[in-house]
Amino acid sequence: MHNKSLTELSNGLATNEFSSVELTQHYLDRIHRLDKVYNSFITVTAELAITQAKAADKRISDGQQSPLCGIPLAHKDIFCTEGVKTSCGSKMLDNFVPPYNATVIENFNAAGAVTLGKTNMDEFAMGSSNESSFYGAVKNPWDINCVPGGSSGGSAAAVAAQLTPAATGTDTGGSIRQPAALCGITGLKPTYGRVSRYGMIAFASSLDQGGPMTRSAEDAALLLDVMAGFDEKDSTSMVKDVPDYKSTLNDKLDGLTIGLPKEFLGDGLAPEIEKAVEIAIKEYEALGATLKEISLPNTELAIPCYYIIAPSEASANLSRFDGVRYGHRCENPKDLFDLYTRTREEGFGDEVKRRILVGSYALSAGFYDAYYKKAQQIRRLIKNDFVEAFKNVDVIMGPTVPNPAFKLGEKSNDPVSMYLEDIYTISTNLAGLPGMSIPAGFTAQKPAGLQLIGDYFSEGKLLNIAHRFQQATDWHKQCPPEPSMQKPSTGQEG
Ligand code: GLN
């Protein structure tokens, strides 16, 4: 059952080949059996899942099936779920049980989807390896000695290991696309404002965006259909019709112009990833596309610009965790100051503290103009690079990440080298554009990702471009070996 696409699962439910309860139990059993190794879930909601599955079975037998009705899903533990712990990967929220659902969760509930549980993630979505989680690192299903990427590493690993048919993630600087690339799955970060951020715990509000993490573009279209749309509870969500993403999946690619940014190739890019990207792009030529070299001249400014803007917004967003309103509270505080400082000292991990320090510094009087204002000006230059590029091309392609999955612990003490993992993904968030990562081969048994960047609200086009590739290749159908077939690292190799 776990090899089927969402459409196949939906058909199986419609024709009574299996029930949603059977399907849900199948995935719960897989999680129980395999997730001790991967650690991709923080919370498994077995009871809730079976209750929802029973309701879905009833809905189906009443003839009220919709595409995701009865389909089990997993949600990044950043989306608030009523009555279910939502930790954001942090000790600070280890005891937080929201009294309401994020809009994304409401939408899935209304569609009749089933929640298997909440997936592991870097603390407050800060990271590129899933090692900053309070709940421990997640293992990459392709090599359990390697990271799955981050911050949506739990969702990516759970989809790759087939512990769930699909999952949700969020992407502030690459957190859907980068783990999708490292785990060999399909991930889509929509245009900023396409998916409601209501109830999605805020990291950097002007950059955060939720999106689907799936095994194929076709599956991603089904999830995005439910996730996207205006929400009056999110003032940054767009009043814009949601197209039927599935209906354009098969459009022909003849005449498509692909832009290849010269800044995305060469220096800093692992040669084996470059090779995989080249081969994937050749496939697109065979499908009728033409290539054009383009330039995004401000690419090298994206990381420094992001690491001012994102921490600045994070320092403001995370000020609400003070031990008074909700979340962790230190024992026996001496006074209010002691309550604030000890609560935050105990509740936040190192990476979160680092971001709060950087952000508070960048926003402080006297430094604001030099850092925050400057970063906003650079952000505009980066956006303008894309606006220029899209005058001549339909889509931009390149690698998602510069390197294949790296070993657990390899970069944890070197934040700058960790930050550089997002060199190709971050500028998309700064510009607010949609981006996607799809599996495009392997380098030494580890997945390589091809990134697709589209113009504003071109999610339908991106899904179409990705789907066509997936009709012609089968990288997205490859499955990792079960953990019992893999050797744990002795630390002595290579
Ligand atoms: N790795 C980046 C960071 O740590 C992006 C994270 C994300 O997209 N949530 O900020």
Side-chain angles (χ1 to χ4, degrees), residues 125-128 151 171-175 203 306-307 355 422:
M126 298 171 189
S128 307
S151 64
D171 191 313
T172 304
S175 279
F203 162 13
Y306 172 90
Y307 278 98
R355 307 278 178 119
D422 298 324

Side-chain angles (χ1 to χ4, degrees), residues 298 301-302 378-386 427 430:
N298 291 295
L301 297 177
I378 292 171
R379 182 175 190 174
R380 177 51 63 115
L381 297 178
I382 290 169
K383 177 191 173 205
N384 288 347
D385 284 354
F386 282 107
S427 47
L430 290 167

